[in-house]
Amino acid sequence: LAKTTQPISMDSYEGQEVNITCSHNNIATNDYITWYQQFPSQGPRFIIQGYKTKVTNEVASLFIPADRKSSTLSLPRVSLSDTAVYYCLVGEMGTGFQKLVFGTGTRLLVSP
Amino acid sequence: GEEVAQTPKHLVRGEGQKAKLYCAPIKGHSYVFWYQQVLKNEFKFLISFQNENVFDETGMPKERFSAKCLPNSPCSLEIQATKLEDSAVYFCASSQLIGPNTEAFFGQGTRLTVV
């Protein structure tokens, strides 16, 4: 399973766009990239998933370059409630993910 | 139910005592996963089930940890003879399928404190 590297923490202000980059240099052909969000005292919550290029949903965008060795989670116009830990995961989703492998995550602090 | 329900929310045990944690997956979900989260956000995969069958148990410390998912019952994770280092938040997750675009839904966790 590919290992991921993310910044330990990031700071932002309300209304700004936040981009969190994750490195996964040894990502395998069958690996998908998934991002989860975790608030204090809660379980992780799925945000977005992609394989290549760009994926967008109602809460975020995920940018994946052609070599897939990194990915960037983009949160548009963050609010105070986006303060959380964000995890980047890579894993095989073809024949099935037997498990999600979490890194240490990025702690995002959004200030007024 | 529409969410993964974990009980209890908090559990305190003396060293050497047994701890049992429960997880009710979302109705219709065939896969259940257990994770241990210790300090600094680190998650450790423990075990997964496909219905009542063990799917992957490569993360389980087999000497003292065991888990079951029996039909018509909540899944359970049991720790015999707890140790101080077992103190952590234990998360259960469930998913309907495995494969691309599969989303795992996590419960709120059980915080186990071993004193």
Side-chain angles (χ1 to χ4, degrees), chain A residues 53-83:
Chain A
T53 62
K54 177 184 174 183
V55 179
T56 297
N57 62 22
E58 61 275 9
V59 297
S61 295
L62 179 58
F63 298 92
I64 306 168
D67 66 4
R68 303 197 331 119
K69 293 183 183 299
S70 66
S71 59
T72 299
L73 174 72
S74 181
L75 304 172
R77 298 179 297 282
V78 294
S79 64
L80 297 177
S81 62
D82 292 318
T83 293

Coordinates of all heavy atoms in Angstrom, one line a residue, chain A residues 53-83:
Chain A
T53 N -6.8 13.1 -13.1 CA -7.3 14.4 -13.6 C -8.0 15.1 -12.4 O -7.5 15.3 -11.4 CB -8.2 14.3 -14.8 OG1 -9.3 13.5 -14.5 CG2 -7.4 13.7 -16.0
K54 N -9.2 15.6 -12.6 CA -9.9 16.4 -11.7 C -11.3 15.8 -11.3 O -12.0 15.4 -12.2 CB -10.1 17.8 -12.2 CG -10.8 18.8 -11.3 CD -11.0 20.1 -11.9 CE -11.9 21.0 -11.1 NZ -12.2 22.3 -11.7
V55 N -11.6 15.8 -10.1 CA -12.9 15.4 -9.6 C -13.5 16.6 -8.7 O -12.7 17.2 -8.0 CB -12.8 14.1 -8.7 CG1 -14.2 13.7 -8.2 CG2 -12.2 13.0 -9.5
T56 N -14.7 16.8 -8.9 CA -15.4 17.9 -8.1 C -16.7 17.4 -7.6 O -17.4 16.8 -8.3 CB -15.6 19.2 -9.0 OG1 -14.3 19.7 -9.4 CG2 -16.3 20.3 -8.2
N57 N -17.0 17.7 -6.3 CA -18.3 17.5 -5.8 C -18.8 18.7 -5.1 O -18.2 19.8 -5.2 CB -18.3 16.2 -4.9 CG -17.4 16.4 -3.7 OD1 -17.1 17.4 -3.2 ND2 -17.0 15.2 -3.2
E58 N -19.8 18.6 -4.3 CA -20.4 19.8 -3.7 C -19.5 20.4 -2.6 O -19.8 21.6 -2.2 CB -21.8 19.5 -3.2 CG -21.8 18.4 -2.1 CD -21.9 17.0 -2.6 OE1 -21.7 16.8 -3.8 OE2 -22.1 16.1 -1.8
V59 N -18.6 19.7 -2.1 CA -17.8 20.3 -1.0 C -16.3 20.5 -1.4 O -15.6 21.3 -0.7 CB -17.8 19.3 0.2 CG1 -19.2 19.2 0.8 CG2 -17.2 18.0 -0.1
A60 N -15.8 19.8 -2.4 CA -14.3 20.0 -2.7 C -14.0 19.6 -4.1 O -14.9 19.0 -4.8 CB -13.6 19.1 -1.7
S61 N -12.8 19.9 -4.5 CA -12.2 19.4 -5.7 C -10.9 18.7 -5.4 O -10.2 19.0 -4.5 CB -11.9 20.6 -6.7 OG -13.1 21.2 -7.1
L62 N -10.7 17.7 -6.3 CA -9.4 16.9 -6.2 C -8.7 17.0 -7.5 O -9.3 16.6 -8.5 CB -9.8 15.5 -5.8 CG -8.7 14.5 -5.6 CD1 -7.7 15.0 -4.6 CD2 -9.2 13.1 -5.3
F63 N -7.5 17.5 -7.4 CA -6.6 17.6 -8.6 C -5.5 16.5 -8.5 O -4.8 16.4 -7.5 CB -6.0 19.0 -8.7 CG -7.0 20.1 -8.8 CD1 -7.5 20.7 -7.6 CD2 -7.5 20.5 -10.0 CE1 -8.4 21.7 -7.7 CE2 -8.4 21.5 -10.1 CZ -8.9 22.1 -8.9
I64 N -5.4 15.8 -9.6 CA -4.4 14.7 -9.7 C -3.7 14.9 -11.0 O -4.3 14.8 -12.1 CB -5.1 13.3 -9.6 CG1 -6.0 13.2 -8.4 CG2 -4.1 12.2 -9.6 CD1 -6.9 12.0 -8.4
P65 N -2.3 15.1 -10.9 CA -1.6 15.3 -12.1 C -1.4 13.9 -12.8 O -1.7 12.9 -12.3 CB -0.2 15.8 -11.6 CG -0.1 15.3 -10.2 CD -1.5 15.2 -9.7
A66 N -0.9 14.0 -14.0 CA -0.8 12.8 -14.9 C 0.0 11.7 -14.3 O -0.3 10.5 -14.4 CB -0.2 13.2 -16.3
D67 N 1.1 12.1 -13.5 CA 1.9 11.0 -13.0 C 1.3 10.4 -11.7 O 1.9 9.4 -11.2 CB 3.4 11.5 -12.7 CG 3.5 12.6 -11.7 OD1 2.4 12.9 -11.0 OD2 4.5 13.1 -11.4
R68 N 0.3 11.0 -11.2 CA -0.4 10.6 -10.0 C 0.4 10.4 -8.7 O 0.0 9.8 -7.8 CB -1.1 9.2 -10.3 CG -2.0 9.3 -11.5 CD -3.0 8.2 -11.6 NE -2.7 6.9 -11.0 CZ -3.3 6.3 -10.0 NH1 -4.4 6.9 -9.5 NH2 -2.9 5.1 -9.6
K69 N 1.6 11.1 -8.7 CA 2.5 10.9 -7.5 C 2.1 11.9 -6.4 O 2.7 12.0 -5.4 CB 3.9 11.1 -8.0 CG 4.4 10.0 -8.8 CD 5.9 10.1 -9.1 CE 6.4 9.0 -10.1 NZ 6.2 7.7 -9.5
S70 N 1.1 12.8 -6.7 CA 0.7 13.7 -5.7 C -0.8 14.0 -6.0 O -1.3 13.6 -7.1 CB 1.5 15.0 -5.7 OG 1.2 15.7 -6.9
S71 N -1.5 14.6 -5.1 CA -2.8 15.1 -5.3 C -3.1 16.3 -4.4 O -2.4 16.5 -3.4 CB -3.9 14.0 -5.0 OG -3.7 13.5 -3.6
T72 N -4.0 17.1 -4.8 CA -4.3 18.3 -4.1 C -5.8 18.4 -3.8 O -6.6 18.4 -4.7 CB -3.9 19.6 -4.8 OG1 -2.5 19.5 -5.0 CG2 -4.2 20.8 -4.0
L73 N -6.2 18.5 -2.5 CA -7.5 18.7 -2.1 C -7.8 20.2 -2.1 O -7.0 20.9 -1.4 CB -7.8 18.1 -0.8 CG -9.2 18.3 -0.2 CD1 -10.2 17.5 -0.9 CD2 -9.2 18.0 1.3
S74 N -8.8 20.7 -2.7 CA -9.1 22.1 -2.7 C -10.4 22.3 -2.1 O -11.4 21.8 -2.5 CB -9.1 22.6 -4.2 OG -9.3 24.0 -4.2
L75 N -10.4 23.2 -1.1 CA -11.6 23.5 -0.3 C -11.9 25.0 -0.7 O -11.2 25.9 -0.3 CB -11.5 23.4 1.2 CG -11.0 22.0 1.6 CD1 -10.7 22.0 3.1 CD2 -12.1 21.0 1.3
P76 N -13.0 25.3 -1.4 CA -13.3 26.7 -1.8 C -13.9 27.4 -0.6 O -14.8 26.9 0.1 CB -14.3 26.5 -2.9 CG -15.0 25.2 -2.7 CD -14.0 24.3 -2.0
R77 N -13.5 28.6 -0.4 CA -14.2 29.5 0.6 C -14.4 28.8 1.9 O -15.6 28.5 2.3 CB -15.5 30.1 0.0 CG -15.2 30.9 -1.2 CD -16.6 31.5 -1.8 NE -17.4 30.4 -2.2 CZ -17.3 29.7 -3.3 NH1 -16.3 30.0 -4.2 NH2 -18.2 28.8 -3.6
V78 N -13.4 28.5 2.6 CA -13.5 27.8 3.9 C -14.2 28.6 4.9 O -14.2 29.8 4.9 CB -12.2 27.3 4.4 CG1 -11.6 26.2 3.5 CG2 -11.2 28.4 4.7
S79 N -14.9 27.9 5.9 CA -15.5 28.5 7.0 C -14.9 27.9 8.3 O -14.2 27.0 8.2 CB -17.0 28.3 7.0 OG -17.3 26.9 7.1
L80 N -15.3 28.5 9.4 CA -14.8 28.0 10.7 C -15.1 26.6 10.9 O -14.3 25.8 11.5 CB -15.4 28.8 11.8 CG -15.1 30.3 11.9 CD1 -15.8 31.0 13.0 CD2 -13.6 30.6 12.0
S81 N -16.2 26.1 10.4 CA -16.6 24.7 10.5 C -15.7 23.7 9.7 O -15.9 22.5 9.9 CB -18.1 24.5 10.2 OG -18.3 24.8 8.8
D82 N -14.9 24.2 8.9 CA -14.0 23.4 8.1 C -12.7 23.0 8.9 O -11.9 22.3 8.4 CB -13.6 24.0 6.8 CG -14.8 24.1 5.8 OD1 -15.5 23.1 5.7 OD2 -14.9 25.2 5.2
T83 N -12.6 23.6 10.1 CA -11.5 23.3 11.0 C -11.5 21.8 11.3 O -12.5 21.4 11.9 CB -11.5 24.1 12.2 OG1 -11.2 25.5 11.9 CG2 -10.4 23.7 13.2

